[in-house]
Amino acid sequence: MGVEVGVQSARSRALAVLHVRSRALAVALLPAAFAVILLAGGSTGHLVGRGWDLARWVVGVVAVVVLLAAVGIGLVVARARPAMSPTVPIPEESAPDLYRLVRDLADRLDVPAPSAIAVTPDCDSWLEDRTHPAHGPPPQAHGHHADAGRGRDDPYGLRGLASARPRRTAAAPVLVIGSPFLWWMRVGELRAVLAPVVAGTGPSAHPDIAAARRFVRGLDAAVAVTSAPGRSPLAGPVCAGVGWVARLLLRGCREYAAEMERGVAAAAAERAQAVDYGLRIVAQEQVGLAYAGWDRLLTRVALPAWRMGRWPSRLDAGVVAALTELSRRDRLAEGFASRLGERPACDLLEEPGVVDEATSLLAARLFHGGPAEHGPDWSPVDWNEYPEEVVDRKWRTDAARLHRVLDTLGVRRSPNPRASDPHGPTLARVLDHLAAQPHTPTAAPQAATTLAPPPPAPPVRYQAASPAEDPESTPPDAERTANADSTRDAEPTTRDAEHAPDSDRTPAVGHAPATGHAPDTGGTPDTGGTSDTGGTSDTDHTPDTGSTPDTGHASDTAPGEDGDLANERSAVLAAGLSAELAREEAAAPEPKTAPPGAGAAGQMPGALPLWDEGSLPLLPLQPPRTGRDLLADHVTAMVCCAAMDTAGATPGLDWLDGPSLLINGERAVDLGAKVRALIEEGDPVPLRTWLVDSGIRPEKPVRLV
């Protein structure tokens, strides 16, 4: 009964949306109706005279103009391509077990099975209608069926708009699964989590609901088309008028569309109650842990690599390592180990390593805006190469930038003329400069004033703070939902089960090595990951304060607090670093986008970029770092370089905190506070004491990039 009530509620709201369309059509036909009445009155001799003749001409012209405008707007709405989520399509031949699981689930729920399956680097799962001609396959030659006619050149049927536009079909929506689900969840857990989502295909097949969704998506796409920049002076006013009408219609049906989607989600959740209800509770308990590990892996492990021009080729494979470490630190290892005997969901894929690599490259593009294909400045990196290829290189690059800025400010290489290498880059140079408190203004601040300020940063839609560490932080999905009205007036129509109680944008994370099997023990994936803990105790929840600038956790300051640095030289040096980074970013080459009709290297065939290439990254992970953060990160990098070159320390990878410094095999977890004391208060004593205790010699030159 609850299912029928939900469907009826959704249908009534769908009819309300369609009434908006009908009223718009009636308004467009109203001048034509008046013109017909005037013409009929004149032909019958009732409405005669000069005034009526003038009225017939005026109303006739208005009717023609309005009809032409209505036809043009209708064509724009019908032909505009609706937004499509960036995904990696999964053909049935590469995941027969996964398709079998989803169809089994659809049979148990008595709903149509999804027409296809795709994965995306997001902690979510939803249904997406891709029946628009721009999303469908081109017409097949020789009378072959669309599904049977897919060739090797287009195994997923996701080509763009062909010259001969195919007619819209009544295919079921595509099931989009977050790749972390597949790598973290067990098979039973995945089935339980997907049940409310798959149940949404039932209401989606209702003609009124489907028609209402097409109308709202068309309006949404029309707004996007008319808002695109670069229009000619003649087309600009026309597009502005079409966009105004589309926005007006969207405002009229937005509330009805949102209520329709809530009804659909409620009906789907009610239908899924009878399927794996108890297991769904267990799966939801894993979801919170999974989300925390996925968020930290992206912001603290992947982001440093992306900024270095490297992208981890097995992002999903690293999730289980991060979650294993998180479970161990939170003393949940016993409950985690009991799940290892069950079959991981990634086993449902024939080649999980290929899917993982394609998803990892897509994640780098969405969250960082990386290029669409491999290159000398954009290459994959394995986990076992991460410490040397990313951590070591990043620290030395930052240390070199720090010394370049010091050169610009006129700081001497070494205050000791008898030093073995007075011109070599040393940590002592940094310590002496930041520790000295000038009594009178020097030339250094004036030298820094010529440095250009960094460019404004793009708006952030995906907050980096982990809910596991900041209870007051807003989860990324909640933030995106809150911004939905300002970014897409018809967002509820793109995800059929968005408001379902059991599957409401459920965050999850995943892991699988290239073989598709979860490891039996430990937190390092089978792809050859480096030891992640470096001697951290079970109760250690302290972030790696010795991490590189990429982690963005060296300081707790908020944006705009650079002027609060009590040390004047620190403030000048921070401004210089910000300007130097801005110049480097401005001089960097533009990311290379994939040519039309060709998939990007490293992606699965057919995974075409069907989103705006100029808007990447779509979901930036972190806000821009402040000058205080940059200075703390660069000084930390210099300390790490000195530790590696003079005390035998090594770069390491912590799955939860990212790049870390290993001294005698143990993480240096107490470095951040000492660095902050130096840059904020000009007090070098805590850091110098730590250097002596660790056997690090700051007067020795270090190797830079």
Side-chain angles (χ1 to χ4, degrees):
M1 180 63 67
V3 176
E4 293 300 326
V5 170
V7 173
Q8 290 301 322
S9 173
R11 181 175 180 272
S12 65
R13 299 302 186 271
L15 291 176
V17 172
L18 297 178
H19 288 163
V20 173
R21 184 183 66 177
S22 301
R23 287 194 291 270
L25 181 61
V27 170
L29 294 177
L30 190 59
F34 281 125
V36 170
I37 293 174
L38 292 175
L39 290 174
S43 62
T44 57
H46 290 84
L47 303 176
V48 295
R50 181 173 300 178
W52 288 109
D53 292 338
L54 180 61
R56 273 188 285 271
W57 276 103
V58 172
V59 174
V61 171
V62 171
V64 171
V65 172
V66 172
L67 286 177
L68 290 177
V71 171
I73 294 173
L75 288 176
V76 172
V77 172
R79 296 178 66 89
R81 184 179 67 187
M84 182 173 169
S85 301
T87 58
V88 176
I90 305 295
E92 185 171 359
E93 57 268 22
S94 69
D97 291 343
L98 180 59
Y99 274 81
R100 192 176 301 114
L101 179 146
V102 172
R103 286 170 182 160
D104 252 2
L105 193 56
D107 289 341
R108 293 176 62 183
L109 296 169
D110 194 24
V111 296
S115 59
I117 299 175
V119 298
T120 188
D122 190 8
C123 297
D124 198 1
S125 183
W126 66 89
L127 293 171
E128 186 163 288
D129 186 355
R130 297 181 179 178
T131 58
H132 192 274
H135 296 157
Q140 301 296 328
H142 309 294
H144 288 295
H145 190 271
D147 291 336
R150 292 176 181 170
R152 293 187 176 181
D153 294 337
D154 185 28
Y156 310 112
L158 289 177
R159 288 178 181 166
L161 186 62
S163 56
R165 291 169 55 89
R167 298 184 63 183
R168 190 188 302 273
T169 62
V174 174
L175 174 62
V176 180
I177 305 175
S179 62
F181 276 113
L182 289 172
W183 267 261
W184 171 243
M185 294 290 181
R186 308 293 102 178
V187 171
E189 295 168 348
L190 179 68
R191 182 175 58 249
V193 169
L194 292 181
V197 184
V198 175
T201 60
S204 299
H206 196 285
D208 294 335
I209 296 176
R213 283 174 166 170
R214 285 196 300 268
F215 176 61
V216 177
R217 278 195 300 268
L219 292 176
D220 186 35
V223 170
V225 168
T226 56
S227 301
R231 301 290 183 185
S232 64
L234 181 61
V238 175
C239 290
V242 174
W244 179 83
V245 173
R247 290 186 181 90
L248 181 64
L249 294 176
L250 273 176
R251 285 194 295 269
C253 63
R254 179 169 54 191
E255 292 185 5
Y256 298 129
E259 293 177 2
M260 175 185 69
E261 295 302 330
R262 280 192 284 268
V264 169
E270 183 70 23
R271 183 182 293 273
Q273 289 293 324
V275 179
D276 297 333
Y277 179 76
L279 187 57
R280 190 182 310 130
I281 297 176
V282 176
Q284 292 297 330
E285 292 176 353
Q286 295 294 329
V287 160
L289 177 67
Y291 175 83
W294 175 248
D295 178 69
R296 291 175 70 122
L297 184 75
L298 287 180
T299 57
R300 303 193 182 188
V301 178
L303 188 59
W306 293 338
R307 286 177 173 164
M308 288 300 300
R310 308 295 298 272
W311 53 277
S313 59
R314 295 293 186 269
L315 260 186
D316 291 308
V319 176
V320 157
L323 293 176
T324 303
E325 176 63 15
L326 183 61
S327 301
R328 189 181 67 82
R329 293 186 186 182
D330 290 341
R331 297 185 176 180
L332 301 174
E334 183 178 353
F336 171 79
S338 64
R339 303 172 62 251
L340 294 179
E342 304 173 15
R343 186 187 183 193
C346 58
D347 269 1
L348 301 173
L349 303 173
E350 292 291 314
E351 296 183 87
V354 176
V355 177
D356 195 357
E357 183 174 358
T359 308
S360 299
L361 181 56
L362 180 58
R365 304 202 65 208
L366 296 180
F367 298 123
H368 185 65
E373 55 187 19
H374 300 188
D377 298 324
W378 188 245
S379 57
V381 60
D382 292 329
W383 291 125
N384 59 336
E385 301 173 349
Y386 186 96
E388 292 296 331
E389 295 293 329
V390 176
V391 180
D392 181 86
R393 180 184 168 197
K394 179 58 178 175
W395 283 342
R396 298 189 187 279
T397 301
D398 286 349
R401 183 182 300 112
L402 178 62
H403 281 278
R404 285 200 304 271
V405 175
L406 288 174
D407 292 338
T408 303
L409 298 177
V411 180
R412 290 188 301 172
R413 282 281 180 169
S414 175
N416 183 9
R418 294 177 296 178
S420 57
D421 185 4
H423 302 292
T426 63
L427 176 59
R429 180 194 191 194
V430 180
L431 294 175
D432 294 338
H433 176 69
L434 294 179
Q437 296 294 335
H439 298 287
T440 57
T442 62
Q446 285 79 9
T449 57
T450 60
L451 299 173
V460 176
R461 296 180 59 205
Y462 191 104
Q463 187 65 30
S466 171
E469 295 184 329
D470 187 1
E472 299 179 358
S473 64
T474 302
D477 293 320
E479 183 175 346
R480 291 189 305 195
T481 303
N483 294 335
D485 290 341
S486 62
T487 55
R488 292 195 58 190
D489 290 331
E491 178 66 18
T493 64
T494 61
R495 300 187 178 184
D496 297 344
E498 181 176 356
H499 301 282
D502 291 306
S503 64
D504 183 12
R505 302 181 62 78
T506 307
V509 218
H511 157 105
T515 58
H517 297 278
D520 292 334
T521 58
T524 304
D526 293 346
T527 50
T530 307
S531 174
D532 50 72
T533 60
T536 306
S537 63
D538 291 346
T539 59
D540 178 19
H541 294 273
T542 305
D544 181 12
T545 53
S547 58
T548 69
D550 291 322
T551 62
H553 296 283
S555 173
D556 296 327
T557 59
E561 294 185 359
D562 293 351
D564 295 339
L565 284 170
N567 190 338
E568 181 183 355
R569 293 191 175 186
S570 295
V572 173
L573 187 54
L577 288 171
S578 300
E580 180 70 13
L581 275 173
R583 283 196 297 269
E584 292 178 7
E585 292 174 359
E590 292 293 330
K592 185 177 180 181
T593 58
Q603 291 185 349
M604 297 191 66
L608 304 185
L610 297 178
W611 62 93
D612 184 8
E613 295 284 343
S615 63
L616 293 174
L618 298 179
L619 304 170
L621 283 178
Q622 287 184 321
R625 292 167 290 173
T626 65
R628 182 198 300 250
D629 292 336
L630 287 175
L631 179 57
D633 292 338
H634 282 70
V635 172
T636 300
M638 187 63 202
V639 173
C640 293
C641 291
M644 290 187 294
D645 290 351
T646 67
T650 57
L653 167 61
D654 185 275
W655 293 106
L656 297 177
D657 295 325
S660 59
L661 179 67
L662 302 180
I663 300 178
N664 298 324
E666 296 185 359
R667 284 176 52 203
V669 296
D670 53 352
L671 178 58
K674 299 172 177 57
V675 171
R676 286 195 294 270
L678 172 66
I679 66 173
E680 294 176 4
E681 304 169 10
D683 182 9
V685 175
L687 182 56
R688 288 188 183 275
T689 302
W690 183 85
L691 294 174
V692 172
D693 293 341
S694 302
I696 302 172
R697 303 184 61 182
E699 75 280 2
K700 290 285 188 179
V702 299
R703 177 174 60 87
L704 304 179
V705 173

